[in-house]
Amino acid sequence: MGCPSRWEVTVNMAMYMRCLGRLRCGACGFRFRVFSDGKRCSTSKVVRKPEVLPESKRQGTCQRKTFVQEQADRLEQANNSILIKCPQKVNQHQLLKSLERHGNIAHYHFFEPFKTMLLLQFERRDGVLSVQQSCNMPRPGKRFLLPNRSRFLLMSKHNDEFPDKRSAENERPHNLLQMLKDHSNVDGQLEGLVQHMQLTEEDIRLRFLVCSLLQDLCTAILPSVQIQPFGSSVNLFGRVGCDLDMFLDLGNLNIERKRTRVQRDSSLEFQVKMFRCERVATQTILSVVGNLLQHISPSFDSIQKVLNARCPVLRFCHSPSNLNCDLTASNRIALCMSETLNAFAQVDARVRPLVFAIRCWARAQNLTSTVSGAWITNFSLTLLVLFFLQQCSPSVIPTISHLRKLADRIDHRVIDSVNCTIVSDLSKITPSNNKQSLEDLLHGFFDFYGSFPFQKKSINIRTGQVQRRSDDSPMEIINPFEENLNVSKNVNKRQLLHFVELSQNASLKLEKQHQLSSNQSWGLMTLLQHGPTQQARATDGAASIHPTPKVERFTDLFHSLWSTKQGNPEAKQQTGNSSPPESKQKGQSE
Ligand code: GTP
Ligand code: MG
């Protein structure tokens, strides 16, 4: 949502009567009016036409906020936000009016995974503090409460004096199949898929708010700590329901040490706890945060400490938003990886539709799963798509080495001796001369990997070249920043063969679709038909399409594409069949 300048809103008298007041867009400072049903318009009565994007902008190469600026602004927005759990029947207009007394509202959004929830951003932090000051502690009755003054609030039931007035404005059109049918070509289907599945403005705000709420808790024990989101929540490849990856940033201790060395005139230093190594410190911190979440905060549950994995992680669910969260510590290289993927997503408008389509295809064919195992991950799939786009002639996207060459001095970043530098000003990247359609590229992807010599060659998106294998695992995708690591080390031979076989099948299906009659499914529809489950394959190894009726298959697909880890029956079913959580975690493959 954000700035309404992209919207066309006809302002009529009735709307003005329902106007809640003037607000300001948090992103660009644009002033506009907001109405009780959530609609917005500019402060003048003039109808604003939707912005016509120049060609450069449509190609995604226009000057825009850098990734780092965008992250900082989002965290700032989140710091000025509160989350309120409302009664089932709430008068949204009255509630917003009463909250406006605390400060100007910059943005709000009602949503309901289970209950009616309100995410509201004030223009200034004062608004949040004022609301917190006005809040009562609940009456404990015979129990004992811990006075936690967080920004997750409950609107008590006795305020529920208004009739039900829920708006349907935030409900997302759920019919994926209909959306695919409505398009007349594969390119349209792929673009429609992104629109249908991508994170909305509200999803993103909610994710940053969860980081901010978690940071409130963590700063109680370590005041300088920061919680940063990474992974698909910020790399532009996230779909609704994807997990929220966060890392607890303890700051750069080397910089800290250098800074303190400068203060030679001071004979004082902080008394701190020392650990044997960084890993032990990380495990300890995550364990303490896990205890905090479990015992102090009412909004986090299903806490699972996975501390012995290669990359120790704390897993939990933020129950008001139903978001599955993974918290790691000091994972700055992963944040650089997210920035790099985010840059690739912006350099050419075809990257996102292709990555979304391949991820959805793999999910539908049960090549990927919401639980870890010997199968390919979404991260590896994304790297496969990027590598393929580098191989096209002319290439659709540049290599990481090229992004590094374009970097300015301020972009220079070395983390734990790993050079993670890439250009932050994406307007410096020359748009590709490749004019292939999305359908061509999709087909090309399946052809490419349907015959790729995985046993001899590895994939490297830093150089954009295949290279001789350096390990004996079935598939080698070199980590672009830490080249001695293989991102796909977890993938076993059976899963690789299955991926290759299904790629060949998909290529054939796309080839044959022109012979199909109009009432048969075609294009992306055929590709998204369900494959056998991991469990089924583990027992019979068959690669054939699951023999369920077509409508059912699409319903299943819809559920699997939309479900989160927790709510996914397939994930639960597969848990018994996969490695225990401790043995397979993010980056563990390497
Ligand atoms: P989703 O499946 O939508 O959650 O995609 P994702 O990109 O968020 O993947 P995931 O949650 O598995 O991992 C989050 C981030 O961790 C990725 O975007 C990568 O930056 C990083 N990551 C994941 N797996 C690996 C790995 O095997 N090696 C390395 N180096 N980084 C990884
Ligand atoms: Mg993720």
Side-chain angles (χ1 to χ4, degrees), residues 230-232 243 245 337 359 378-379 479 487 586-587 589-590:
F230 69 99
S232 54
D243 67 354
D245 303 291
M337 196 59 238
R359 282 182 172 212
N378 273 334
F379 179 55
N479 182 318
V487 170
K586 221 152 277 173
S589 53
E590 300 156 346

Side-chain angles (χ1 to χ4, degrees), residues 393-426:
S393 178
S395 61
V396 179
I397 55 168
T399 61
I400 293 190
S401 301
H402 185 72
L403 296 185
R404 191 165 293 170
K405 264 191 214 139
L406 297 177
D408 292 317
R409 273 187 68 180
I410 49 160
D411 298 329
H412 187 71
R413 220 162 324 145
V414 178
I415 298 164
D416 299 336
S417 319
V418 176
N419 188 354
C420 300
T421 307
I422 63 154
V423 62
S424 61
D425 177 2
L426 302 184

Side-chain angles (χ1 to χ4, degrees), residues 26-283:
C28 66
F30 189 92
R31 293 203 167 265
F32 56 92
R33 285 179 193 278
V34 65
F35 302 95
S36 57
D37 55 3
K39 290 206 172 100
R40 295 128 182 252
C41 76
S42 75
T43 46
S44 73
K45 283 191 183 184
V46 179
V47 176
R48 287 184 73 86
K49 293 281 174 209
E51 189 184 3
V52 179
L53 298 176
E55 185 59 27
S56 64
K57 205 164 182 177
R58 267 183 272 147
Q59 292 295 323
T61 54
C62 65
Q63 181 108 32
R64 61 180 76 198
K65 274 191 218 170
T66 64
F67 180 79
V68 174
Q69 282 165 346
E70 175 74 22
Q71 295 278 300
D73 288 356
R74 289 282 185 190
L75 285 171
E76 171 79 20
Q77 271 178 1
N79 285 339
N80 294 348
S81 302
I82 54 174
L83 189 61
I84 304 181
K85 186 171 172 181
C86 310
Q88 282 289 312
K89 293 178 178 181
V90 64
N91 184 322
Q92 299 179 350
H93 178 74
Q94 293 281 345
L95 173 58
L96 292 169
K97 272 268 180 219
S98 73
L99 287 168
E100 259 204 324
R101 288 202 307 265
H102 298 282
N104 287 344
I105 297 169
H107 181 100
Y108 74 87
H109 166 226
F110 284 94
F111 66 99
E112 40 190 320
F114 298 124
K115 299 264 191 279
T116 305
M117 305 289 303
L118 168 63
L119 188 162
L120 182 136
Q121 181 204 341
F122 286 103
E123 276 184 15
R124 290 153 46 99
R125 177 81 183 173
D126 298 358
V128 174
L129 299 176
S130 167
V131 170
Q132 281 177 316
Q133 265 169 14
S134 75
C135 281
N136 297 314
M137 274 295 158
R139 283 190 218 113
K142 286 189 181 153
R143 293 178 298 169
F144 187 83
L145 61 79
L146 284 176
N148 179 9
R149 295 179 176 274
S150 82
R151 285 179 284 138
F152 174 42
L153 309 167
L154 176 74
M155 189 176 168
S156 54
K157 286 217 170 63
H158 63 259
N159 284 336
D160 184 11
E161 54 204 34
F162 308 108
D164 190 359
K165 199 167 166 283
R166 271 182 277 168
S167 84
E169 56 137 353
N170 295 314
E171 277 168 25
R172 187 185 275 265
H174 271 209
N175 197 339
L176 174 62
L177 176 59
Q178 191 55 48
M179 182 282 292
L180 295 177
K181 274 185 181 164
D182 287 347
H183 286 283
S184 56
N185 55 37
V186 178
D187 283 39
Q189 287 182 331
L190 263 69
E191 277 157 8
L193 186 73
V194 176
Q195 296 307 319
H196 197 84
M197 311 222 64
Q198 69 185 346
L199 295 177
T200 62
E201 168 71 19
E202 278 69 30
D203 292 323
I204 296 168
R205 280 173 177 267
L206 197 54
R207 283 159 191 270
F208 276 85
L209 179 65
V210 174
C211 293
S212 174
L213 294 176
L214 194 57
Q215 179 161 321
D216 283 356
L217 270 178
C218 295
T219 46
I221 43 172
L222 291 164
S224 59
V225 92
Q226 269 210 330
I227 304 287
Q228 300 244 36
F230 69 99
S232 54
S233 300
V234 296
N235 66 17
L236 293 178
F237 297 120
R239 67 169 175 84
V240 173
C242 69
D243 67 354
L244 169 58
D245 303 291
M246 295 172 276
F247 81 95
L248 191 147
D249 190 358
L250 294 167
N252 191 332
L253 289 182
N254 291 333
I255 293 177
E256 187 75 10
R257 257 181 246 124
K258 271 184 204 152
R259 197 182 64 81
T260 46
R261 220 177 285 149
V262 173
Q263 298 177 11
R264 287 203 184 95
D265 50 335
S266 174
S267 57
L268 298 175
E269 61 178 29
F270 292 109
Q271 273 285 59
V272 292
K273 185 114 187 156
M274 298 284 185
F275 293 91
R276 190 161 33 90
C277 60
E278 190 179 354
R279 181 173 169 83
V280 177
T282 300
Q283 288 169 327

